[in-house]
């Protein structure tokens, strides 16, 4: 808010950059090779209560991945994901807005399918995201049981044990089969390090309709590490992602409004601001928790390149 307690979004349009060098990248225009791709509502697979007791369930409306450790290290393989049914409707609406788009849901929403995309004009991913903090603490008395996370407040999350120093290995996304803990190459969890190897040169927009996807760690002269940085390294022009755990249904409405703005010719940042202002003026979504979590990073022009 400003000095008069008014939200800055009512006066300004914001665009974020991972580093100043991104301005140089925006001069490079590469043609997309595929139509829009939408990945949503993955079938993470069933899990036993006993297994969750030994790990972490990332549930609806919350995703701060805080993990009990095995041998003093955080173990991503012990994270479990809850269903996201509202993202199915989100995907169906995007299919109506972009009839030629490829939509992958449930069992088709796999890590392998994502790795096979080849410079789609838009990449929309609606799933759970996570970011493991690089903190080392003494074990809690009940650390053997792990943690069930569902609709907790940020200050209620215990700190993780052990350390994984590289932020690109501590953040990622969940896909189909993630709860099955497969030992194959497709384990259902895409780390930011893996995301940096995607072929997104020519992709105008990547939207991560998930929690905490924009969170990272600042490294001197290297900008923000995490999923946002990974997608820049992969070649995407623009990234839209969240800074904290978000509402499943509120995010659905925000995303639908955002894409309608893009279809109407608004810029990639202007369309986000437009839907945020409408949510701010609404009865159900006026609190910043619902509309302020998502940010736009990178190119702010509309999908046709007009600023």
């Amino acid at each position: 808010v400003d000095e008069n307690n008014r939200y800055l979004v009512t006066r300004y349009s914001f665009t974020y950059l991972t580093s100043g060098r991104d301005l140089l990248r925006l001069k490079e225009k590469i043609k997309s090779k595929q139509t829009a791709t939408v990945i949503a509502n993955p079938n993470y697979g069933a899990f036993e209560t006993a297994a969750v007791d030994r790990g972490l369930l990332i549930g609806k409306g919350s995703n701060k991945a805080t993990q009990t450790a095995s041998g003093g290290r955080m173990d991503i393989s012990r994270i479990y994901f809850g269903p996201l049914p509202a993202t199915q409707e989100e995907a169906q609406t995007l299919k109506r807005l972009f009839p030629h788009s490829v939509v992958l849901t449930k069992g088709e929403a796999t890590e392998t399918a994502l790795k096979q995309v080849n410079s789609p004009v838009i990449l929309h991913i609606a799933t759970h995201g996570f970011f493991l903090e690089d903190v080392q603490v003494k074990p809690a008395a009940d650390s053997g049981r792990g943690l069930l996370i569902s609709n907790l407040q940020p200050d209620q999350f215990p700190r993780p044990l052990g350390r994984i120093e590289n932020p690109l290995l501590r953040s990622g996304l969940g896909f189909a089969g993630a709860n099955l803990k497969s030992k194959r190459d497709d384990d259902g969890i895409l780390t930011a390090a893996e995301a940096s190897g995607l072929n997104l040169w020519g992709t105008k927009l990547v939207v991560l309709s998930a929690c905490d996807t924009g969170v990272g760690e600042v490294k001197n002269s290297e900008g923000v590490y995490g999923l946002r940085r990974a997608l820049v390294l992969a070649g995407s022009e623009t990234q839209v992602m969240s800074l904290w755990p978000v509402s499943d249904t509120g995010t659905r409405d925000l995303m639908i409004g955002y894409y309608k703005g893009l279809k109407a010719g608004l810029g990639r940042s202007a369309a986000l601001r437009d839907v945020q202002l409408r949510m701010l003026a609404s009865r159900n979504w006026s609190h910043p928790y619902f509309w302020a979590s998502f940010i736009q990073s990178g190119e702010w022009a509309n999908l046709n390149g007009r600023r």
Side-chain angles (χ1 to χ4, degrees), residues 23-85:
L23 290 173
L24 300 177
R25 294 179 66 252
L26 298 183
K27 297 179 180 180
E28 301 292 332
K29 300 301 179 184
I30 303 174
K31 189 175 181 180
S32 305
K33 297 179 181 178
Q34 291 182 343
T35 185
T37 299
V38 179
I39 301 176
N41 192 27
N43 181 3
Y44 302 112
F47 48 81
E48 298 178 0
T49 302
V52 176
D53 283 345
R54 296 191 298 271
L56 168 75
L57 173 65
I58 299 178
K60 178 181 177 182
S62 179
N63 83 307
K64 180 77 75 169
T66 309
Q67 178 70 18
T68 55
S70 174
R73 304 285 295 183
M74 287 182 287
D75 186 0
I76 292 177
S77 68
R78 294 170 64 193
I79 297 175
Y80 294 83
F81 299 88
L84 288 171

Side-chain angles (χ1 to χ4, degrees), residues 3 16 21 25 40 45 55 74 76 81 103 114 122 142 152 164 167 199 202 212 236 255 287 289-290:
E3 64 277 8
Y16 293 78
R21 291 191 300 272
R25 294 179 66 252
M74 287 182 287
I76 292 177
F81 299 88
V103 177
L114 175 59
I122 295 174
D142 61 348
L152 295 182
I164 300 177
N199 184 9
D212 283 7
S236 63
M255 288 299 166
H287 194 279
Y289 165 77
F290 296 107

Side-chain angles (χ1 to χ4, degrees), residues 2-306:
D2 63 15
E3 64 277 8
N4 295 315
N5 208 37
R6 295 178 300 181
Y7 291 113
L8 293 178
V9 71
T10 63
R11 300 173 57 193
Y12 301 101
S13 179
F14 293 90
T15 294
Y16 293 78
L17 299 173
T18 57
S19 74
R21 291 191 300 272
D22 290 352
L23 290 173
L24 300 177
R25 294 179 66 252
L26 298 183
K27 297 179 180 180
E28 301 292 332
K29 300 301 179 184
I30 303 174
K31 189 175 181 180
S32 305
K33 297 179 181 178
Q34 291 182 343
T35 185
T37 299
V38 179
I39 301 176
N41 192 27
N43 181 3
Y44 302 112
F47 48 81
E48 298 178 0
T49 302
V52 176
D53 283 345
R54 296 191 298 271
L56 168 75
L57 173 65
I58 299 178
K60 178 181 177 182
S62 179
N63 83 307
K64 180 77 75 169
T66 309
Q67 178 70 18
T68 55
S70 174
R73 304 285 295 183
M74 287 182 287
D75 186 0
I76 292 177
S77 68
R78 294 170 64 193
I79 297 175
Y80 294 83
F81 299 88
L84 288 171
T87 63
Q88 184 73 28
E89 182 181 348
E90 187 176 317
Q92 293 169 348
T93 301
L94 294 184
K95 179 64 174 180
R96 292 193 293 269
L97 290 172
F98 300 92
H100 299 294
S101 61
V102 175
V103 177
L104 303 172
T105 63
K106 300 182 180 179
E108 295 181 336
T110 64
E111 176 189 358
T112 296
L114 175 59
K115 288 180 177 179
Q116 291 175 346
V117 299
N118 184 20
S119 303
V121 60
I122 295 174
L123 176 61
H124 181 93
I125 303 174
T127 183
H128 283 300
F130 62 87
F131 182 79
L132 296 165
E133 296 183 22
D134 181 22
V135 180
Q136 189 168 18
V137 296
K138 295 181 179 180
D142 61 348
S143 61
R145 284 186 55 83
L147 178 66
L148 169 68
I149 292 184
S150 181
N151 298 323
L152 295 182
Q153 297 301 315
D155 59 357
Q156 294 178 289
F157 295 107
R159 296 293 186 181
L161 305 176
R163 301 187 71 176
I164 300 177
E165 293 186 0
N166 186 350
L168 296 182
L169 295 176
R170 292 188 278 112
S171 55
L173 301 167
F175 293 93
N179 291 339
L180 303 180
K181 308 308 173 190
S182 171
K183 300 300 182 180
R184 299 175 300 178
D185 290 339
D186 188 340
D187 59 3
I189 295 180
L190 183 87
T191 65
E194 292 175 304
S196 67
L198 297 175
N199 184 9
L200 301 179
W201 293 97
T203 298
K204 297 181 181 297
L205 173 66
V206 176
V207 176
L208 298 184
S209 182
C211 301
D212 283 7
T213 47
V215 175
E217 213 171 78
V218 176
K219 297 292 184 179
N220 289 339
S221 77
E222 293 296 342
V224 177
Y225 272 71
L227 279 168
R228 179 152 54 119
R229 183 63 177 170
L231 293 171
V232 172
L233 293 174
S236 63
E237 288 186 10
T238 306
Q239 308 82 42
V240 171
M241 51 194 61
S242 68
L243 297 176
W244 59 74
V246 292
S247 161
D248 195 13
T249 54
T251 297
R252 176 199 61 199
D253 290 356
L254 182 145
M255 288 299 166
I256 292 172
Y258 178 61
Y259 280 104
K260 287 182 177 178
L262 291 176
K263 287 281 289 185
L266 293 179
R268 283 166 253 185
S269 61
L272 182 60
R273 177 175 181 262
D274 181 72
V275 69
Q276 288 175 329
L277 290 176
R278 284 189 279 112
M279 292 180 74
L280 174 60
S282 70
R283 175 180 299 180
N284 295 328
W285 310 120
S286 61
H287 194 279
Y289 165 77
F290 296 107
W291 56 263
S293 66
F294 282 91
I295 63 170
Q296 178 267 327
S297 178
E299 176 61 73
W300 58 90
N302 69 9
L303 293 178
N304 293 323
R306 180 171 53 84

